[in-house]
Structures are given as C-alpha cells and as structure tokens.
Amino acid sequence: MRLSSFLLLVILLFSFPAAILAQDSPSSAVTPSAQNAPTQTQTEPAADTLTFRTTVRRVIVDVVVRDSNNKPVHGLTASDFVVAEDGHPQNILSFDVFDLNTPSISLPANAPHPPANHFVNIPPTPEHGPLYVILYDLVNMEIDDQIDARRQVLKFINSKPPGTRFAIFVRSDNLYLVQGFTEDKDRLYSVLDPQNPKSHVPRVFMMQRNHGLRDPVSMMNVLAQVTEFMEGVPGHKNLIWLAGTFPLSLVPRKEDPREYEDVITAEINEMTRAQVAVYPINVGGVPVNPPGLTTGARPNGGSANQTAQAGGGMNAGGPGINSLTSPDAIGMIESIQAEGSFDSIYTDYDIQKTIADSTGGRPFYSTNDVTAALADATDIGGNYYSLTYSPTNQKDDGGRRSIQVRLAERGYHLDYRHFYFTGAYSPQAELAKAQSSESQGTPAPAYAENGALQPNMKHGAPMLHNLLFSAHIHVDGGPAKGTPEQMSHLADQPAYVSTHHKDKPLAPIDLQKYVIDYRVTASTLKSPTQTGKPSAYEFAAAAFDAESRMLNSIVNDAAGDTSSQEPTKPRVLDARQQFDVPVNATWIRVGVRDKLTNRMGTLEVQLPLAAEPPSPR
C-alpha cells in the first residue's frame, strides 16, 4: 500500500458521520449506517445447492536456524529444508520467512491528530517480530537471585529492540498478568521498577514454600494459564521463563502413570496450537563447584534437591487444578514430585533443554549475564522460518508423531518443535465440523461464530490490524444503578460468576453507559457483487478491572453493503454499539471481524476517557 493511499485511509477512519442512530433492542445494539444498509437485490444461495467440505490436518513447524556463531541465518528457501515425520519424508505445502527487522504498518508521520477519544488500530510506530511473554517466576527463584534478576531484566528492557512487543506475567502468591502486550519500554520498565512498586510485584518474595516452590503440579497449572492467554492469538509466540529452578519436564517417561502422561500431552497440544516456543533462562548464574557433576544431582545443589511440597501446588489455584487433586491423580502427583526431587537423570539443565526441545525454544543456563540471555532469546526467537505440511499418516489415534527437520547444507543448528500428538481438540477442526453440520441443516454451536474473535478480546492481548477500523468511545449520561435485567447479565461474567450465590440475584451496582461508534475500512473488503454473499461483520466489546477480570462483554452482528460506494474510494462501514460498564472498569477493549474473510482488528483503551465537548443537539 502506497503511503498516500494509507494516509487517505487514516483520514477516512477519523471522519465520522454526524449521527448514526442505534435501536433500543439489545440484540440490535450494532446498527449499520443508512448508506450501508443491506439492499433488497442481494440473492441467497439456492436451497438445493450441494456443498462438500473436508478437513485436512496441517502441521505448522517454526524453525530457527543458527550459524556457528549462534546468529540467525537468513536467506533460506523452502528447497533448502527437508522435513520428515516418523522417518517418512513430507511435502512442504507453505513456507514463510519471518525477520525481526521487518516492520509492520504504522501511522505516517503526517497523520492527522485524532479528536478526543477517537482511536484507531494502527500502531503509532512500527511493530517488529513475533510476540514475547516474560514469565517472571519468583516462586522458583532464590531470594538473592530475585534482586539481581530484576536489575538485569530492567537493563534489557531499556535496550530491547525497538518495536518488539512484550507481555509480563509475575508469579508470586498467584499468577498475575501485570502488563499486556506493548512495545512501550517505559510501560514495561515501570511494571518491574522497584522504585515505583506495583500490585503483585513484590520487591522480594519470601513465601515460595507456601506457594509452590519446586512443585511441578502448580507449575503445570501456571504454564497452562499462560498458554491459554496466548491461544487463539494469531502467529508465533516466545515464552521467556525466568527462574532459578525448573521443576517440570514436558516429556513423559515409561514409568509415569497414564494420568500424568495425559496431562503432559494436553499441555504440549495446547502449546502446539498456540504456536508457543519456550525459552527457559536460569537466573542462578554460574554455579561454583556444583554438586551433581558425577552423581546426577541438580546443579546449584542444596534446596533444589529437596522433596516438592504438594500443598503449595494445591493452593496455587487457577483453572484445571481441581482435576489434579482428585483421588485418581494421586499416583500422578507422586510421580511428578519424584521427578522434581530425587530423579538423578533430570537435572535442572536437562529439564530446561527438554522444555526447549519440546516447544522449539532454546535454554539458557550457567551464565551470569541474564540481560544478554534475554537479548539472545529475543533475537533468535524473532528470526525464523515457518513451514507447513500435511502428514502422510492422517490417523487421529492420539499417538506421538516425531518431526525431523534438516538442511541440505550442513553446519547449522536448528531449533524447532520435535514432536506433537494427534487426536487433540482443535478449534479449527471444530469450526470445520460446525460449518459441515450447517450444510446438512444441523445448527452450529455458538463458538463457531465467535470463536475467531473472542480469544483476541482478552485484556492485554495484542492489537490486531488485519482489518483497519477506528472507534469513537464516549460516555452517555452519568452512572446509574443496574436494572434487574442488566444485573442478571453481569452475573454470568467472569468477574462475578464466582462471587455470588447462584440462587440470589447480584446486588445492583453503578453502571456507566458507553457508546462506541465504529468505522471499518480496508482495501480488501469485498462487496456482495464480488463475493456473491451478503457482507457480515462481528463487533465485540469487553470491559476489565485492574485485576484483568472481565466485568462485562457484548458481541453483535451487523450486515452492510458497500457496493454503492465509488469504486475508487476505500469501502467503509459505520456502526454504533451501546455498552453498559461497571464504574470500576479500567480498560475497554473493542474488536471487529469481517465474517467473509475472517480478517480481524482489535484495540484497547485505558479508562477514564478524556473530557470532550458536549455533542451539538
């Protein structure tokens, strides 16, 4: 897209019409503008049309190629790679190159300054690379290491590559998302700055034994929650796990009970679907005369070889933990604890390498320079090749499939995911099933419609800009007590569902009505005359409190026709949405999806909004 055309799009996004009236019905909270209303000339597909759909499994393999100096290798093509599964050669179906230095779209320098409370899902500066998540694991970090590790992380943030987007999770008395994805180094720095303390980020955490120190059960739960946050968000992600000990291997052993194998398999599948590569960084530094060089005990010695405390894991909370505390899982827990304590085969370094090999990352240990390790993980994880193949063995029997990737030219080191498991639940497969059932007259499940956009509506998720739009978010009147109907709706939201008795209505709270005026535009939007189908869009809004809990959410559909617009101008769709938000909300996130192309856009706004002049009446 040429700069002049892109600037025209930006100007168009900020040019809202004077008024777009919304209907009162909650089911019609999104209303297209009159100029884009559906026309009567649209034709529906013939009722007797026979549609065949099929699903073919594709395996995505992200491969990092490093030279003898540990630097990423650029300039390779699909013909340079050879892929096999369980020893059988595979045909590469697609091949993409990802370079950390390649910028995304961004606002041009001469873009108009937006009016108050008008937002656009175009980053102000170019984004670079994939998404990075820092898991700052204070529970598995010695107290002395915590101080130095934070200093080195802050040093890295100050010098991180421009445009790289990080999110930060801190694990202390629980797991907290303390910063969503952002490239703003000042925001990232402020979260961990000990001179500016933040909630859930203690200067020193001294309660490790009470909250899961060296406990693989609670650690598995933590990884599951972090992976769940990233699942559904498009693209590759790098999880940088900072800790002093790593109590969890992601490879089951023959002697492990079936329950443990199932838990590990499920987590590997979750990471595979989310395209997550793990980069474990050991903050313990270079061990001096480490015990275990000949005995197989853990490096760093001492407490790292003590038995894990099961109680700490049980108190860690989070989704899925109850299933691990059932009587049927006792053998699994004992096996995991044994792995984290007396097993002479799995040292901390071995486990780091196993985690990295299982997910396509790279381990960092026996180094005093955590800052350099973070920089290397960012650089290495940001330059990779992504290829797909359809396996010759299409059996979904739950079996393990080994992946082998090599280059025709020797002398390089490759990091990639070495295996996956078949037969796992797949949102894409379920959507395909839903579409297939629709063609047979069977109603599709609700998630088939909203599944693509909803994972990207979590607080802290990255901004998406495959579909460009702007949003004018403004208040309508003052706060008012929620009606019984409104409170009944809020009672089903995550922030309230576990805080009140199901048989009692939620007590009325103050709600603020917000109005969101959307303007959607993209050069790839197709009109009905081009696609043969009526255009359809999905609009979503969600409000969150300071603890990242969803207070309220709404999803609406809208249809529109842009065919009547001049073909030389960008197509646009204007719509309005009304949204009731609890007054303790600190964030509002909005998103749009073109249901014909599945292109999506999202953005997130911090409350309170800026004051703006009253609208003329």
Side-chain angles (χ1 to χ4, degrees):
M1 184 183 298
R2 291 180 301 177
L3 181 59
S4 58
S5 299
F6 186 64
L7 183 58
L8 176 61
L9 279 176
V10 174
I11 295 174
L12 190 63
L13 285 171
F14 288 136
S15 303
F16 277 95
I20 308 172
L21 299 180
Q23 299 178 15
D24 294 329
S25 170
S27 62
S28 303
V30 172
T31 305
S33 64
Q35 70 179 52
N36 292 330
T39 64
Q40 299 297 322
T41 59
Q42 296 172 359
T43 59
E44 296 293 334
D48 57 351
T49 299
L50 182 62
T51 303
F52 293 95
R53 292 184 173 91
T54 183
T55 301
V56 178
R57 185 171 73 245
R58 285 201 181 193
V59 178
I60 302 174
V61 186
D62 296 330
V63 185
V64 173
V65 182
R66 294 181 280 132
D67 61 19
S68 57
N69 295 318
N70 228 15
K71 299 299 182 182
V73 176
H74 301 280
L76 300 177
T77 64
S79 60
D80 295 314
F81 289 83
V82 178
V83 182
E85 181 177 295
D86 291 337
H88 301 288
Q90 304 294 316
N91 182 36
I92 297 176
L93 300 179
S94 66
F95 180 83
D96 292 292
V97 180
F98 293 89
D99 189 330
L100 184 62
N101 294 322
T102 302
S104 72
I105 64 171
S106 62
L107 289 172
N110 56 343
H113 186 73
N117 302 324
H118 288 68
F119 309 95
V120 63
N121 68 326
I122 303 174
T125 57
E127 299 167 343
H128 288 263
L131 298 170
Y132 299 88
V133 174
I134 292 178
L135 172 56
Y136 191 60
D137 187 1
L138 292 171
V139 170
N140 288 304
M141 203 180 293
E142 296 292 338
I143 294 175
D144 291 343
D145 293 335
Q146 293 178 26
I147 299 173
D148 185 64
R150 182 182 295 202
R151 177 186 63 83
Q152 295 207 53
V153 173
L154 290 173
K155 181 180 178 182
F156 163 74
I157 290 174
N158 266 336
S159 60
K160 77 175 186 67
T164 50
R165 293 162 294 167
F166 284 80
I168 300 177
F169 280 89
V170 168
R171 186 187 179 204
S172 52
D173 60 321
N174 211 316
L175 179 68
Y176 301 98
L177 174 65
V178 295
Q179 177 57 58
F181 285 108
T182 180
E183 60 82 30
D184 188 337
K185 63 176 59 178
D186 291 334
R187 288 175 59 184
L188 292 167
Y189 190 98
S190 67
V191 168
L192 297 178
D193 184 4
Q195 304 303 319
N196 186 22
K198 293 290 193 302
S199 297
H200 312 306
V201 190
R203 290 174 180 265
V204 176
F205 186 66
M206 298 183 290
M207 303 293 291
Q208 292 97 324
R209 294 186 183 279
N210 296 327
H211 293 280
L213 172 64
R214 292 181 299 278
D215 176 19
V217 176
S218 62
M219 193 65 242
M220 179 69 81
N221 180 55
V222 166
L223 285 185
Q225 291 183 68
V226 176
T227 304
E228 181 183 5
F229 171 72
M230 293 184 282
E231 188 171 3
V233 176
H236 181 85
K237 304 101 185 171
N238 294 316
L239 172 57
I240 302 176
W241 179 7
L242 293 163
T245 184
F246 298 83
L248 179 66
S249 173
L250 290 179
V251 178
R253 300 166 297 175
K254 293 181 179 179
E255 62 268 28
D256 290 328
R258 178 57 186 269
E259 291 86 354
Y260 182 28
E261 181 180 350
D262 290 343
V263 170
I264 291 180
T265 299
E267 182 57 26
I268 286 292
N269 285 334
E270 292 291 331
M271 289 187 169
T272 300
R273 286 195 297 270
Q275 288 182 261
V276 176
V278 182
Y279 288 76
I281 298 180
N282 195 311
V283 301
V286 179
V288 179
N289 298 321
L293 290 180
T294 58
T295 65
R298 292 175 178 274
N300 305 322
S303 60
N305 295 297
Q306 299 174 7
T307 304
Q309 299 291 326
M314 304 313 154
N315 294 329
I321 197 68
N322 291 333
S323 63
L324 300 181
T325 62
S326 63
D328 295 338
I330 296 299
M332 176 197 71
I333 295 173
E334 291 175 348
S335 173
I336 302 176
Q337 291 173 339
E339 175 191 302
S341 54
F342 299 119
D343 193 332
S344 62
I345 298 176
Y346 288 92
T347 67
D348 263 327
Y349 293 176
D350 293 330
I351 292 176
Q352 281 187 252
K353 188 176 187 306
T354 300
I355 293 170
D357 288 346
S358 301
T359 61
R362 181 194 169 198
F364 294 85
Y365 44 75
S366 194
T367 175
N368 291 326
D369 196 344
V370 173
T371 300
L374 283 162
D376 286 345
T378 303
D379 185 41
I380 293 171
N383 297 278
Y384 60 96
Y385 301 89
S386 187
L387 52 89
T388 68
Y389 67 91
S390 180
T392 53
N393 182 359
Q394 287 284 327
K395 293 182 179 179
D396 279 334
D397 54 7
R400 170 172 164 161
R401 303 287 188 262
S402 297
I403 303 173
Q404 303 87 35
V405 181
R406 64 179 177 86
L407 290 175
E409 183 177 346
R410 297 184 179 274
Y412 298 119
H413 182 83
L414 276 60
D415 297 318
Y416 60 92
R417 190 184 309 277
H418 288 266
F419 61 90
Y420 72 97
F421 295 92
T422 66
Y425 165 84
S426 168
Q428 291 79 10
E430 293 297 329
L431 179 58
K433 291 179 184 177
Q435 293 171 335
S436 177
S437 65
E438 283 183 309
S439 67
Q440 301 172 14
T442 306
Y447 61 75
E449 283 296 303
N450 301 329
L453 182 57
Q454 289 303 87
N456 296 281
M457 292 300 295
K458 303 167 187 172
H459 168 57
M463 175 193 297
L464 299 182
H465 38 69
N466 287 330
L467 182 67
L468 300 182
F469 76 96
S470 61
H472 177 204
I473 305 176
H474 50 107
V475 298
D476 182 6
K481 292 292 182 182
T483 66
E485 181 182 4
Q486 290 171 325
M487 299 313 300
S488 176
H489 174 75
L490 287 183
D492 295 328
Q493 299 299 317
Y496 305 105
V497 71
S498 62
T499 60
H500 76 286
H501 197 278
K502 293 183 178 180
D503 297 332
K504 296 181 179 179
L506 192 64
I509 61 174
D510 287 335
L511 301 178
Q512 173 64 62
K513 179 180 289 186
Y514 286 84
V515 175
I516 306 171
D517 288 319
Y518 295 91
R519 166 154 287 198
V520 185
T521 179
S523 59
T524 55
L525 286 181
K526 304 297 183 182
S527 67
T529 56
Q530 294 173 295
T531 63
K533 299 179 181 179
S535 56
Y537 306 90
E538 185 177 80
F539 295 82
F544 304 87
D545 65 10
E547 300 293 323
S548 299
R549 294 173 300 192
M550 184 181 289
L551 299 172
N552 197 9
S553 63
I554 186 171
V555 180
N556 299 109
D557 292 336
D561 178 15
T562 60
S563 60
S564 61
Q565 298 182 22
E566 297 180 30
T568 58
K569 293 183 178 180
R571 297 184 176 91
V572 297
L573 173 71
D574 298 313
R576 169 167 287 186
Q577 187 176 49
Q578 295 181 353
F579 189 34
D580 296 314
V581 176
V583 294
N584 63 321
T586 57
W587 299 90
I588 287 181
R589 187 174 183 87
V590 296
V592 184
R593 180 169 75 99
D594 180 348
K595 299 170 72 173
L596 292 184
T597 64
N598 205 35
R599 296 173 71 88
M600 294 177 285
T602 60
L603 61 84
E604 191 165 290
V605 176
Q606 188 167 11
L607 301 177
L609 296 172
E612 55 180 293
S615 301
R617 295 187 181 273

